[in-house]
Amino acid sequence: TRLVVGSVDVYKRQIQESTVYALLRNLSKNGFAGQYVGEKSDGPTRKYYHITQAGREKRDHLISEWRELRDNMAALGVE
């Protein structure tokens, strides 16, 4: 999957390019994403990001926690 960043519309909310890149840099710094520089073109050098194995494991863990919270809330009658 490839994400091209400009102004991204996520769940009907505008997210600025600078916000997305700050998140990507943080994910990369923490080992959850890797980055590499693409080939030079007419414009500025492009950075590409990909999820690492540690990122996949963190994602899976967070999804598991979310599902557990959701199920516990449903058991209490909160939806």
Side-chain angles (χ1 to χ4, degrees), residues 21-53:
Y21 279 114
L23 290 169
L24 288 169
R25 278 191 304 274
N26 193 21
L27 289 168
S28 184
K29 184 176 89 172
N30 289 303
F32 301 129
Q35 71 175 11
Y36 61 94
V37 177
E39 291 184 28
K40 186 82 172 157
S41 62
D42 291 339
T45 303
R46 293 179 180 239
K47 290 182 187 173
Y48 295 91
Y49 293 86
H50 61 91
I51 190 168
T52 62
Q53 183 61 35

Side-chain angles (χ1 to χ4, degrees), residues 38-79:
E39 291 184 28
K40 186 82 172 157
S41 62
D42 291 339
T45 303
R46 293 179 180 239
K47 290 182 187 173
Y48 295 91
Y49 293 86
H50 61 91
I51 190 168
T52 62
Q53 183 61 35
R56 285 185 195 86
E57 291 169 7
K58 182 69 170 179
R59 176 202 60 203
D60 293 345
H61 174 74
L62 290 171
I63 289 171
S64 176
E65 283 187 345
W66 173 254
R67 288 180 177 151
E68 183 178 350
L69 175 62
R70 178 201 59 200
D71 294 345
N72 289 331
M73 297 298 286
L76 294 170
V78 179
E79 301 222 14

